[in-house]
Amino acid sequence: DYFNLIYMRAHHIPVEIARTSRTIIREMTEKDLPDMYELYADPAVARWTEPLYAYDEELEFTRAYIDNMYTFYGYGLWLVFDKKTGELVGRMGIENRSIDGVNCQELGYLVGRKYQRRGIAYEVCSKIVEYAREYLYIDRLYACIHKDNIPSINFINKMKFKLYAKDIDDMDIYVRQLDENK
């Protein structure tokens, strides 16, 4: 597995992270940018996220992200595709964020409008939590959500995250302990 991973990284082949009953979760590539722009173009979908850069800048950012984030940490924001259609469902995964001056891992998720309210975010994020615990040995995940983003707050509560800190720069911070022994 390790040599296969090295080969894939050296040849810029995206690593498949996991599959769920309806989706494939994999690393992004430069070729995915047009689909990502389409996903982020919907203001209702991307309302609570940072926008993508102008194309050339986003392309450079994506190249650096692939080379640094995926290669160094073994995680990042991944793309989620519909198994049947191959269509981009969303972008979900694990990011680094400084919380209380410590580098922590944060669960992030963005789901296209067509795929919302179908349980896909729960299905995929549950798989990501499992992956974080079993393969990355992460013992806790955080979620930082704008205090007015009620659908996301409801979702993160469903994912068994608990409130950690309230109204920090308009964000509420949630945490989920993954190591069940603690």
Side-chain angles (χ1 to χ4, degrees):
D1 286 343
Y2 178 73
F3 290 115
N4 188 40
L5 180 64
I6 298 298
Y7 176 85
M8 293 177 79
R9 297 261 187 254
H11 292 90
H12 304 288
I13 300 169
V15 174
E16 184 178 301
I17 303 306
R19 288 177 179 246
T20 70
S21 62
R22 298 180 283 178
T23 68
I24 298 169
I25 307 163
R26 72 155 169 82
E27 295 176 346
M28 69 179 158
T29 69
E30 296 172 21
K31 293 177 185 175
D32 295 316
L33 283 179
D35 289 336
M36 285 177 47
Y37 273 97
E38 189 175 324
L39 176 68
Y40 279 75
D42 185 338
V45 171
R47 176 178 176 194
W48 305 105
T49 63
E50 295 177 18
L52 299 177
Y53 300 115
Y55 189 85
D56 289 341
E57 194 176 351
E58 189 67 36
L59 179 61
E60 287 305 311
F61 177 83
T62 299
R63 287 176 179 151
Y65 191 91
I66 292 166
D67 289 343
N68 297 308
M69 198 68 189
Y70 294 154
T71 302
F72 186 73
Y73 292 103
Y75 57 80
L77 286 177
W78 301 304
L79 297 184
V80 179
F81 294 90
D82 185 304
K83 269 187 186 175
K84 289 181 182 174
T85 66
E87 199 173 44
L88 180 63
V89 169
R91 192 175 185 194
M92 302 179 217
I94 303 166
E95 284 278 284
N96 289 325
R97 181 183 285 260
S98 179
I99 297 175
D100 294 334
V102 176
N103 184 44
C104 298
Q105 287 71 46
E106 174 185 13
L107 178 67
Y109 45 89
L110 176 74
V111 180
R113 186 188 303 241
K114 177 180 174 181
Y115 292 95
Q116 292 178 359
R117 301 191 183 282
R118 294 174 51 190
I120 288 179
Y122 186 81
E123 179 180 317
V124 171
C125 286
S126 294
K127 185 59 109 176
I128 290 169
V129 167
E130 176 186 317
Y131 183 84
R133 180 180 55 246
E134 294 180 12
Y135 295 99
L136 301 172
Y137 306 107
I138 294 172
D139 62 354
R140 77 176 50 121
L141 282 173
Y142 291 84
C144 301
I145 303 169
H146 192 280
K147 65 180 183 168
D148 297 331
N149 188 347
I150 302 305
S152 190
I153 291 169
N154 291 338
F155 172 72
I156 212 66
N157 285 320
K158 182 178 179 182
M159 288 292 303
K160 301 178 185 166
F161 280 66
K162 304 294 180 208
L163 186 63
Y164 176 80
K166 196 155 182 62
D167 203 7
I168 310 294
D169 296 325
D170 290 334
M171 303 289 278
D172 291 343
I173 302 172
Y174 296 80
V175 65
R176 178 171 170 187
Q177 190 70 37
L178 304 186
D179 180 1
E180 287 139 15
N181 297 325
K182 291 187 177 180

